[in-house]
Amino acid sequence: MTAPLTLTVNGETRRTEASTIAKLVEELDLTPEKVAVERNGTIVPRSTLGDAPLVDGDRLEIVHFVGGGDAASVDDDSWEVAGHRFTSRLIVGTGKYKDFAQNAAAMEAAGAEIVTVAVRRVNVSDPQAPMLTDYIDPQKVTYLPNTAGCFTAEEAIRTLRLAREAGGWDLVKLEVLGEARTLYPDMRETLRATETLVAEGFKPMVYCTDDPIAAKQLEEAGAVAIMPLGAPIGSGLGIQNRVTIRLIVEGANVPVLVDAGVGTASDAAVAMELGCDGVLMNTAIAEAKDPVRMARAMKYAVQAGRDAYLAGRMGTRKYADPSSPLSGLI
């Protein structure tokens, strides 16, 4: 029996009983036709790997093709929040749908990777009733627990503590409402809740007014994303103040996502054209006559708006500027 050889393969010492380079490649569970081998500084032609004997002390480099460039290529337009990376920039809610099946179908049509979920009491009278997790797998889709319906910092903090206990989530959506008619956020309570949650290790994405000063205060308090409203929750009015949304985007060092007020696909495109990192919506999809089709439209609108923002729109002018030259007219 031949004594094992001691080789250096890709910088690491390796013992082998392989007699040729081809046998060594196969021992490594590689396909000879898909690799290139350099031995002692000289490339060994692939056609001769089966005839190339190994010698004790050989130094080999074995390479193959991988995706070139940085880990995130120029075509990678993913985004990151609190260490979590996502491809889709559309976040959808899980309320107001006909049933969980319709919700799941809309989420899939939207291509969403994050869904917001409210924290509510378990129905102890019917513990076998269907649950959202039966239709949308939290192992495949990121659940973003929110504090919908909370009107004080204490209520919101308590809700998210329970959410973390139930599912282990630390990435959460915080909203503290001021009053029921407009569902506008109470920024004083929101800021107070943000500070407490951050101190407890939460990573809050925070619903807020479209106020650049308030947005910066939330970021300084530790919010991992700023989520200004486009219009009142569930109103479908679209982006009411593009100037302030744009100012928030320009001043933020964390992701900015429009949250609330989107009514149709053009509203989502506008949010993205303003430079937002994403859009969150619920009612616009759930209350559409065809929620699944609207979800798909929102997916395309977010993509189109993002492309338009990256492309850089033309400048605006006060007067016409003809596309065709006027000189040389007949």
Side-chain angles (χ1 to χ4, degrees):
M1 182 176 179
T2 306
L5 302 175
T6 300
L7 311 173
T8 301
V9 181
N10 288 359
E12 296 182 359
T13 302
R14 183 180 183 87
R15 300 272 287 173
T16 181
E17 295 182 358
S19 58
T20 65
I21 293 178
K23 290 185 181 299
L24 174 65
V25 169
E26 292 170 356
E27 180 182 289
L28 295 171
D29 289 329
L30 300 172
T31 304
E33 292 78 15
K34 295 181 179 180
V35 299
V37 180
E38 177 191 83
R39 179 175 59 183
N40 302 327
T42 302
I43 294 176
V44 181
R46 185 179 297 156
S47 60
T48 67
L49 294 182
D51 301 321
L54 288 169
V55 178
D56 194 62
D58 275 347
R59 301 182 63 87
L60 296 101
E61 292 291 334
I62 304 176
V63 302
H64 66 148
F65 290 111
V66 298
D70 296 333
S73 71
V74 293
D75 293 327
D76 176 16
D77 191 34
S78 60
W79 66 289
E80 184 174 319
V81 57
H84 302 263
R85 183 159 292 279
F86 301 99
T87 301
S88 172
R89 294 175 179 270
L90 175 58
I91 301 175
V92 298
T94 52
K96 301 185 177 181
Y97 288 92
K98 179 180 67 176
D99 51 37
F100 290 141
Q102 185 185 68
N103 191 171
M107 184 214 70
E108 185 172 349
E113 298 168 301
I114 308 175
V115 295
T116 58
V117 292
V119 181
R120 296 293 184 265
R121 290 186 173 119
V122 171
N123 183 357
V124 293
S125 63
D126 185 10
Q128 302 304 314
M131 299 179 68
L132 182 66
T133 51
D134 297 328
Y135 293 83
I136 300 177
D137 186 352
Q139 300 300 317
K140 298 179 180 178
V141 179
T142 297
Y143 273 36
L144 188 66
N146 69 20
T147 56
C150 292
F151 289 85
T152 67
E154 286 74 20
E155 289 177 359
I157 293 165
R158 180 188 180 199
T159 296
L160 293 176
R161 284 171 178 164
L162 285 168
R164 181 158 66 180
E165 182 65 25
W169 296 292
D170 57 3
L171 183 64
V172 296
K173 183 199 166 190
L174 172 66
E175 58 182 70
V176 185
L177 306 174
E179 49 92 25
R181 186 172 65 89
T182 63
L183 298 182
Y184 258 61
D186 181 329
M187 292 312 301
R188 181 174 58 184
E189 291 290 282
T190 298
L191 182 58
R192 192 158 67 86
T194 299
E195 292 170 341
T196 299
L197 291 168
V198 170
E200 295 184 8
F202 285 93
K203 299 172 182 177
M205 301 172 66
V206 186
Y207 168 67
C208 62
T209 57
D210 56 344
D211 176 356
I213 304 303
K216 182 53 68 174
Q217 290 172 340
L218 289 171
E219 182 181 331
E220 292 170 350
V224 298
I226 305 301
M227 307 181 76
L229 55 81
I233 292 173
S235 68
L237 290 170
I239 311 297
Q240 292 298 293
N241 199 331
R242 301 185 186 190
V243 173
T244 52
I245 297 291
R246 181 64 189 167
L247 287 173
I248 291 172
V249 170
E250 290 178 353
N253 296 306
V254 295
V256 176
L257 301 93
V258 161
D259 177 11
V262 169
T264 190
S266 57
D267 300 330
V270 166
M272 299 307 298
E273 289 170 5
L274 291 172
C276 290
D277 296 277
V279 183
L280 189 156
M281 65 185 71
N282 188 172
T283 308
I285 296 175
E287 290 192 357
K289 293 181 180 178
D290 186 339
V292 175
R293 189 165 191 167
M294 181 60 82
R296 187 165 57 248
M298 292 297 188
K299 172 185 176 180
Y300 295 143
V302 167
Q303 293 173 348
R306 177 66 178 171
D307 277 348
Y309 170 72
L310 294 176
R313 65 156 292 156
M314 62 168 283
T316 56
R317 305 182 179 95
K318 292 180 65 176
Y319 303 103
D321 182 27
S323 299
S324 301
L326 297 178
S327 59
L329 283 173
I330 299 173

